[in-house]
Amino acid sequence: MSFKKQWFNAFLACVFFSLLSCTDDENKDTVDPDPDPVATVESKYVVAATSGENDYLVMGDELKAEYTFDATSTDAVQSPGDRTWTFYGDEVVYGFLYNQADAGTTASYVLNADGELSKRNELALDVSIQTRGVVNDQLVLAYSDRLRDTTVEQKAYFYTVDPSTDASKLYTVVSSDLLEEGEAAYFTDITEYEGLLVAGARSISSSSFSSDYYHNTYLVVFNPDFTVKEVIKDEGRTGFVAGQKYSQGETGLEVVENGDLYVFSSGQTNYADANTENIPSGVLKINKGDFAFDSAYFFDITEASGGYNLFRSYYLGGTTFIVSMYPGKNDQATFGVDADRFAVIDVASKSFEWVSGLPTAAGLETDPFLIGMPFIDGESEQLIVPITTSENTHYLYALDPSSASASQLSNVIGEGVKAVGMLKSAD
């Protein structure tokens, strides 16, 4: 072979291997080592709605007006029965079946890493749940006896639940004569204050659910072992903590950013005594570090609203709350059946402003939960409220405390809408 041909063949070989080497390098830079990566779902909005005789959990990515949550879809997760829903932050949602004095089923649901809503556990509780709160990173659930036989010792039952495992522990407290002699304590709300569990309570005659002490406000402070540390009492300004309808009290106690504890009362009595008692809805305060009501502070919500009654309160930061209100005085009061008006209040300045842009709820006696459990959206600093309108349509509304206005968000397809919240997937 001539020298020229040998040189030319060698040149071609060098060019070939050079091109092959460049192609390999390019492939190394551009080819994904994992051609089918799995994206981790971080969070979802969750709506609890009803269809037929059951509740359904429906997930979604956003709450915009063009987005729909469909409880009748195949993607909805069925939760049998008529439940009350509570979100523990963005970790887990609990559905409670209320069965009066008998055991009530409680189911927990979480969002897994694949973005699917899955049932985690059924909690074996000996009683139904009337109220709940978060204390020292645990969910605390409570039920109070109302045994009509006054010769029988009345008790209250508190469960602590670990939200990461659902492990629970029961504590029993004697409620007879705890607040007033001859009456029992009936617990209506729970919060953490100064590292201790503080529970709002009403004093009741168990035989009739009436009281000789409608005009008093009571807080019970517990030690970590659920023995009673002390009872804090206020006389004559408003009534028991929170509003109550069908045993579901809540959102009556709130510790604000500066450490003060604000105490909200609807001023309710009971139906039999409503026309003979006149108790304003109001807000009391316990200053940070104290275990007594501030005698100089009282915010008369009934007066500020022009005659309405407080039902629920939702904390939006600073000293700002959004409150739900219901109409009527004395025996004309609806006790929260149609708590279809909202207002923005500042508990420091005692300001009150009605929220505009909301529809009117139907307010039917046969279906009193037409305003569902809201979601406090910390990112948007708004309150997201499930509402059933008088036309029997279901929507989520965003309530903006800065403008005291509401805007309509997502439509919910189903027979009712009970709650909205957010869940984040576990690592």
Side-chain angles (χ1 to χ4, degrees), residues 19-32:
L19 291 173
L20 181 63
S21 176
C22 290
T23 303
D24 287 343
D25 287 342
E26 287 175 0
N27 287 340
K28 288 178 182 178
D29 291 337
T30 59
V31 174
D32 192 331

Side-chain angles (χ1 to χ4, degrees), residues 366-387:
T366 54
D367 185 8
F369 296 105
L370 296 174
I371 301 294
M373 184 64 69
F375 165 54
I376 300 172
D377 189 345
E379 186 172 325
S380 67
E381 297 182 337
Q382 294 180 329
L383 185 70
I384 311 301
V385 184
I387 292 179

